[in-house]
Amino acid sequence: MPELPEIQTLARQLQKKISGWVLSQISVRTEQILKSPKKDFENKLRGRRILGVSRRGKFLRVSVEGDLLLWFHLGMTGQLICSQTGAAADPHIHFVLHFQDRSSVLIFRDPRKFGSISLSGGRPESLPEGVRLLGPDPFQISADAFAGLFKSRTGRIKSLLLNQRLISGIGNIYADESLHRAGIDPRRRPHRIHRERLVRLHGAICQTMTEAIRKGGSSIDDYLHADGGRGSFQDFHRVYGRSGEPCPACGQSVRQVRLAGRSASFCAQCQK
DNA sequence: GAAGGCCTGGAA
DNA sequence: TTCCAGGCCTTC
């Protein structure tokens, strides 16, 4: 699942690669994944220069001259690949950007089609709703502010960490991994967790994500780097996807439960 | 706050 | 053949 570290990795690679390039042709193969009118992509983007690539929550943001922002959300299985070979007859390729005087194209591929692409202006009120409503990401707020967000919430801590309006960038992998590192049971309710443990959780999230970014993110299902390479943080997961295996900290079997329709993996010994 | 739906590949 | 994975949204 592409979460903050995976999008951050992609954004850095694409920033280096395509900044300054000028869009020539925009080819939409699957209209279903667009959240803005198809003709807007074609009419507004052609001939414009890419100014930069960055991240907001789990969204990848491409700044384009003319105060335009092109937003990619990778859903579960989305990929953004910068490729020389053009776009073959692959039914999972939904969107292709071509550039003036460049042989490389930028391909959006997504087998499960949970991803989306939108185009907006740069002013706050012009942003796509999914972006406008995002909470801060863990790196944008202090531990104090983080604890403040959760202190009176009564839901399960794991489910709240996945709520992008509260805090952005965290998905199932990094929620499970951070809760394990902080020693907090995913079923706990934050209003009953001591403040200092919430502060510790913020530290665990930042630390886990920093480490994941250094390793190029987690490549588990389909996530790939912009050059087709793989991240390696999946090799360092302690509980995510490891139910039944021994906890690397204490050896007890990792458990899996369901919270609000989502799986949560944790160690009942280490996480209270 | 919980459950169902979208969507597809891979596992059971 | 059926079930499961889960991003986010809609509906209850």
Side-chain angles (χ1 to χ4, degrees):
Chain A
M1 274 47 64
E3 306 177 25
L4 186 155
E6 288 74 33
I7 305 302
Q8 184 74 38
T9 300
L10 267 182
R12 278 185 189 170
Q13 295 179 332
L14 289 173
Q15 161 76 25
K16 279 189 203 149
K17 179 91 182 179
I18 68 170
S19 286
W21 291 14
V22 176
L23 290 156
S24 56
Q25 189 197 336
I26 293 87
S27 135
V28 176
R29 299 194 188 178
T30 310
E31 218 164 324
Q32 178 191 346
I33 54 132
L34 301 183
K35 290 204 162 174
S36 310
K38 179 181 176 186
K39 61 173 172 27
D40 280 7
F41 291 93
E42 292 155 353
N43 296 341
K44 295 182 178 175
L45 290 175
R46 180 169 299 134
R48 303 276 195 178
R49 188 176 301 274
I50 307 277
L51 300 178
V53 184
S54 53
R55 178 191 59 75
R56 173 78 177 95
K58 297 182 200 171
F59 286 84
L60 186 109
R61 170 177 51 205
V62 179
S63 306
V64 179
E65 64 179 347
D67 196 35
L68 291 169
L69 297 173
L70 179 57
W71 300 92
F72 291 91
H73 195 289
L74 271 51
M76 282 184 69
T77 54
Q79 303 169 329
L80 270 171
I81 309 269
C82 205
S83 159
Q84 293 272 354
T85 56
D90 176 343
H92 301 314
I93 293 177
H94 309 302
F95 188 87
V96 185
L97 293 177
H98 301 258
F99 303 93
Q100 285 177 15
D101 307 319
R102 303 281 172 178
S103 54
S104 295
V105 293
L106 184 64
I107 292 170
F108 179 78
R109 185 174 180 278
D110 184 9
R112 236 164 274 188
K113 296 185 201 159
F114 279 16
S116 65
I117 307 175
S118 41
L119 183 63
S120 79
R123 290 172 306 155
E125 62 270 29
S126 313
L127 300 179
E129 195 178 58
V131 174
R132 204 176 60 238
L133 299 177
L134 286 176
D137 74 41
F139 295 113
Q140 291 174 319
I141 53 169
S142 64
D144 232 38
F146 177 89
L149 286 179
F150 288 89
K151 69 175 182 214
S152 55
R153 306 292 300 229
T154 59
R156 313 275 188 184
I157 181 72
K158 161 83 187 272
S159 303
L160 290 163
L161 286 174
L162 299 178
N163 181 343
Q164 302 299 301
R165 295 183 188 197
L166 195 58
I167 186 152
S168 61
I170 305 173
N172 225 19
I173 298 172
Y174 297 101
D176 279 357
E177 291 299 310
S178 302
L179 285 166
H180 181 267
R181 285 165 198 237
I184 298 173
D185 187 309
R187 301 166 295 186
R188 290 286 304 274
R189 301 180 186 275
H191 69 120
R192 298 187 50 230
I193 300 178
H194 286 303
R195 221 191 84 87
E196 63 202 39
R197 300 195 71 205
L198 290 173
V199 166
R200 186 164 156 222
L201 175 59
H202 176 260
I205 293 168
C206 291
Q207 200 182 341
T208 306
M209 288 187 158
T210 299
E211 200 181 318
I213 291 167
R214 260 191 232 122
K215 300 211 183 308
S218 304
S219 288
I220 9 181
D221 282 336
D222 298 74
Y223 173 75
L224 294 177
H225 295 169
D227 61 5
R230 294 169 60 80
S232 64
F233 193 64
Q234 67 278 6
D235 300 336
F236 300 87
H237 291 173
R238 299 182 184 179
V239 287
Y240 180 84
R242 300 203 186 280
S243 82
E245 296 178 32
C247 164
C250 76
Q252 190 172 105
S253 182
V254 172
R255 281 187 59 191
Q256 188 164 347
V257 294
R258 279 193 97 68
L259 290 180
R262 292 290 167 261
S263 71
S265 298
F266 68 106
C267 170
Q269 179 77 23
C270 296
Q271 298 174 250
K272 302 288 186 191

mmCIF file of all heavy atoms in Angstrom, chain A residues 17 38 72 84 119 169 194 219 254 256:
data_model
loop_
_atom_site.group_PDB
_atom_site.id
_atom_site.type_symbol
_atom_site.label_atom_id
_atom_site.label_comp_id
_atom_site.label_asym_id
_atom_site.label_seq_id
_atom_site.Cartn_x
_atom_site.Cartn_y
_atom_site.Cartn_z
ATOM 1 N N LYS A 17 13.667 13.818 -11.836
ATOM 2 C CA LYS A 17 13.596 13.338 -13.212
ATOM 3 C C LYS A 17 12.832 14.290 -14.144
ATOM 4 O O LYS A 17 13.336 14.639 -15.209
ATOM 5 C CB LYS A 17 12.923 11.958 -13.202
ATOM 6 C CG LYS A 17 12.731 11.312 -14.549
ATOM 7 C CD LYS A 17 13.906 10.449 -14.933
ATOM 8 C CE LYS A 17 13.683 9.848 -16.318
ATOM 9 N NZ LYS A 17 14.792 9.014 -16.747
ATOM 10 N N LYS A 38 -12.163 14.966 -18.316
ATOM 11 C CA LYS A 38 -11.085 14.486 -19.193
ATOM 12 C C LYS A 38 -10.531 15.609 -20.069
ATOM 13 O O LYS A 38 -9.322 15.740 -20.246
ATOM 14 C CB LYS A 38 -11.638 13.351 -20.065
ATOM 15 C CG LYS A 38 -10.643 12.781 -21.044
ATOM 16 C CD LYS A 38 -11.284 11.682 -21.889
ATOM 17 C CE LYS A 38 -10.309 11.170 -22.954
ATOM 18 N NZ LYS A 38 -10.936 10.209 -23.866
ATOM 19 N N PHE A 72 -2.050 12.865 -8.006
ATOM 20 C CA PHE A 72 -2.167 11.417 -8.175
ATOM 21 C C PHE A 72 -2.379 10.777 -6.812
ATOM 22 O O PHE A 72 -1.632 11.044 -5.870
ATOM 23 C CB PHE A 72 -0.886 10.827 -8.773
ATOM 24 C CG PHE A 72 -0.643 11.215 -10.208
ATOM 25 C CD1 PHE A 72 0.094 12.349 -10.516
ATOM 26 C CD2 PHE A 72 -1.158 10.446 -11.252
ATOM 27 C CE1 PHE A 72 0.337 12.707 -11.842
ATOM 28 C CE2 PHE A 72 -0.925 10.801 -12.581
ATOM 29 C CZ PHE A 72 -0.183 11.933 -12.872
ATOM 30 N N GLN A 84 11.069 4.475 -20.712
ATOM 31 C CA GLN A 84 11.547 4.802 -22.057
ATOM 32 C C GLN A 84 10.710 4.107 -23.108
ATOM 33 O O GLN A 84 10.579 4.570 -24.221
ATOM 34 C CB GLN A 84 12.999 4.300 -22.234
ATOM 35 C CG GLN A 84 14.016 5.007 -21.375
ATOM 36 C CD GLN A 84 14.564 6.236 -22.044
ATOM 37 O OE1 GLN A 84 14.265 6.508 -23.197
ATOM 38 N NE2 GLN A 84 15.355 6.998 -21.316
ATOM 39 N N LEU A 119 -7.090 17.348 -11.315
ATOM 40 C CA LEU A 119 -6.397 18.554 -11.737
ATOM 41 C C LEU A 119 -7.068 19.736 -11.048
ATOM 42 O O LEU A 119 -8.293 19.818 -11.017
ATOM 43 C CB LEU A 119 -6.517 18.692 -13.265
ATOM 44 C CG LEU A 119 -5.789 19.860 -13.926
ATOM 45 C CD1 LEU A 119 -4.287 19.735 -13.741
ATOM 46 C CD2 LEU A 119 -6.126 19.915 -15.423
ATOM 47 N N GLY A 169 -1.368 10.537 5.741
ATOM 48 C CA GLY A 169 -0.159 9.823 5.330
ATOM 49 C C GLY A 169 -0.008 8.427 5.908
ATOM 50 O O GLY A 169 0.823 7.656 5.441
ATOM 51 N N HIS A 194 -2.539 7.539 28.356
ATOM 52 C CA HIS A 194 -1.791 8.653 28.943
ATOM 53 C C HIS A 194 -1.131 9.492 27.855
ATOM 54 O O HIS A 194 -0.613 8.958 26.877
ATOM 55 C CB HIS A 194 -0.718 8.133 29.908
ATOM 56 C CG HIS A 194 -1.280 7.637 31.193
ATOM 57 N ND1 HIS A 194 -2.058 8.425 32.012
ATOM 58 C CD2 HIS A 194 -1.190 6.423 31.802
ATOM 59 C CE1 HIS A 194 -2.413 7.721 33.069
ATOM 60 N NE2 HIS A 194 -1.916 6.513 32.958
ATOM 61 N N SER A 219 7.728 -2.361 -0.665
ATOM 62 C CA SER A 219 7.139 -2.916 -1.890
ATOM 63 C C SER A 219 6.499 -4.248 -1.537
ATOM 64 O O SER A 219 7.179 -5.266 -1.463
ATOM 65 C CB SER A 219 8.208 -3.127 -2.968
ATOM 66 O OG SER A 219 8.632 -1.887 -3.501
ATOM 67 N N VAL A 254 2.474 -13.307 16.620
ATOM 68 C CA VAL A 254 1.776 -12.073 16.244
ATOM 69 C C VAL A 254 0.309 -12.394 15.974
ATOM 70 O O VAL A 254 -0.004 -13.359 15.279
ATOM 71 C CB VAL A 254 2.427 -11.442 14.989
ATOM 72 C CG1 VAL A 254 1.593 -10.272 14.471
ATOM 73 C CG2 VAL A 254 3.851 -10.991 15.288
ATOM 74 N N GLN A 256 -3.748 -11.324 14.813
ATOM 75 C CA GLN A 256 -4.466 -10.468 13.859
ATOM 76 C C GLN A 256 -5.927 -10.365 14.271
ATOM 77 O O GLN A 256 -6.576 -11.368 14.568
ATOM 78 C CB GLN A 256 -4.365 -11.061 12.452
ATOM 79 C CG GLN A 256 -4.923 -10.134 11.391
ATOM 80 C CD GLN A 256 -4.475 -10.524 9.990
ATOM 81 O OE1 GLN A 256 -3.579 -11.333 9.819
ATOM 82 N NE2 GLN A 256 -5.107 -9.940 8.982
#
